[in-house]
Amino acid sequence: TDVREARLWFERAAQSNYAAAEFFLGVFYDEGYDVDVDEPAAVKWFERAAEHGDVEALYVLAMHYNSGRGVVQDGKKCLEYIHKGVELNHAASLYFLGYCYYNGNIVDKDQKKAVAYYKQAAELGHRDAQYALGYCYDFGHGTETNYHEAFRWYYTAAVHNDPDAQYSVAEAFFYGNGVRQSYEKALEWYRHSARRRNAAAIYSIGYCYFNGYGVEADTAMAFEYYDKAAEMNDVSSQIALGFYYGYGEGVEQNDTISAYWFQKAAESGNE
């Protein structure tokens, strides 16, 4: 097969210490491509690739030591590999170090440092870092609140199809935070996010239809979106369905179904 031929080619190339081949052999053993999954073997190949200068191998090794996959979990070793990647300006390594500082994982919590690393990764095009940086500016985590900068970074991630960023762009347009307020543009971005199964965005489309924000009010359409989001455990949608059935809003009044959705909302809210 093509996969087997690729593995054999990588094995031959690895004999000549070709770092990329060593890295991909690690991937083969890590994922079970044409071989049984063997995480210790994967780590061995990633280590060889890292020794020969493959920066992606440094990052993957860090993730293995962080999770304990194929090795004894070791936060110190994880950071060691991450810092090597950071020195090489590796975007994913920069983002992960920022994530660690933001949450206090492995390192002492320091959200100012988190913002600094997120920014470096974001400027290198790392989508998750772009969203995280927008979030920090939005809520003043590790930096002063700045809605314009928040919107800029949310939008940058949103055009690269990050559903959470698309939802945040929609929210910015809905409330006019950092951008001119527009229900129409908010609805447009809610729809982008909803296509990627963001439950909060699906609920928000229903909310727009219910209230006539950016679209003609239509409680039947609102119900359809609430129903979709409720099945995805969106609490606000479950509460909305409770009221729909409780008051018979566009559906047959049913106290039993109403109670069911209120109970689901209570359970979802406690998850």
Side-chain angles (χ1 to χ4, degrees):
T1 66
D2 290 343
V3 174
R4 175 160 295 182
E5 288 179 9
R7 180 175 62 81
L8 294 174
W9 185 91
F10 287 137
E11 286 177 347
R12 289 194 296 270
Q15 292 173 4
S16 300
N17 296 330
Y18 182 40
E22 293 166 338
F23 173 77
F24 281 111
L25 279 176
V27 173
F28 271 60
Y29 282 103
D30 217 15
E31 302 293 338
Y33 296 144
D34 194 49
V35 292
D36 292 334
V37 171
D38 187 338
E39 290 176 345
V43 169
K44 181 196 76 171
W45 284 112
F46 290 138
E47 286 175 340
R48 284 187 54 172
E51 288 170 6
H52 296 132
D54 191 291
V55 67
E56 292 294 335
L58 291 170
Y59 176 74
V60 173
L61 281 169
M63 296 302 99
H64 274 268
Y65 277 104
N66 184 56
S67 64
R69 289 175 52 234
V71 294
V72 176
Q73 189 174 20
D74 188 333
K76 186 176 179 181
K77 288 284 288 184
C78 171
L79 280 179
E80 180 183 319
Y81 282 114
I82 282 294
H83 279 292
K84 288 180 180 179
V86 166
E87 289 170 6
L88 295 170
N89 219 30
H90 182 248
S93 297
L94 287 160
Y95 167 71
F96 181 76
L97 190 54
Y99 178 87
C100 288
Y101 275 114
Y102 185 89
N103 294 286
N105 292 351
I106 310 175
V107 297
D108 292 335
K109 189 172 183 176
D110 186 334
Q111 293 188 338
K112 286 186 178 179
K113 284 187 177 180
V115 169
Y117 285 116
Y118 283 157
K119 190 169 186 180
Q120 290 182 66
E123 289 173 345
L124 289 169
H126 194 281
R127 191 181 74 174
D128 290 344
Q130 292 165 346
Y131 171 74
L133 184 58
Y135 189 90
C136 288
Y137 279 120
D138 200 359
F139 295 97
H141 294 176
T143 185
E144 291 184 4
T145 299
N146 187 323
Y147 291 137
H148 292 285
E149 280 296 291
F151 180 81
R152 180 166 80 92
W153 287 111
Y154 282 151
Y155 186 83
T156 303
V159 296
H160 292 107
N161 295 324
D162 183 295
D164 292 325
Q166 291 171 334
Y167 175 76
S168 295
V169 167
E171 290 282 276
F173 276 118
F174 191 91
Y175 294 105
N177 289 341
V179 67
R180 186 185 296 275
Q181 197 277 340
S182 171
Y183 290 135
E184 290 77 12
K185 287 188 177 294
L187 184 56
E188 176 186 338
W189 281 100
Y190 285 138
R191 291 189 191 280
H192 284 309
S193 184
R195 292 188 192 104
R196 288 167 180 82
R197 296 188 56 75
N198 185 311
I202 295 170
Y203 162 77
S204 295
I205 296 172
Y207 185 81
C208 287
Y209 271 110
F210 189 86
N211 293 283
Y213 292 139
V215 68
E216 185 176 346
D218 187 333
T219 57
M221 282 295 291
F223 176 87
E224 288 186 23
Y225 283 101
Y226 289 152
D227 191 48
K228 288 179 184 177
E231 294 292 347
M232 299 168 70
N233 288 330
D234 180 77
V235 175
S236 296
S237 294
Q238 291 168 342
I239 292 171
L241 289 185
F243 282 114
Y244 261 84
Y245 282 104
Y247 289 102
E249 179 71 46
V251 294
E252 185 177 347
Q253 198 275 339
N254 189 312
D255 288 335
T256 301
I257 298 178
S258 175
Y260 167 81
W261 283 115
F262 283 130
Q263 180 62 33
K264 286 284 288 184
E267 293 169 359
S268 299
N270 289 324
E271 287 180 353

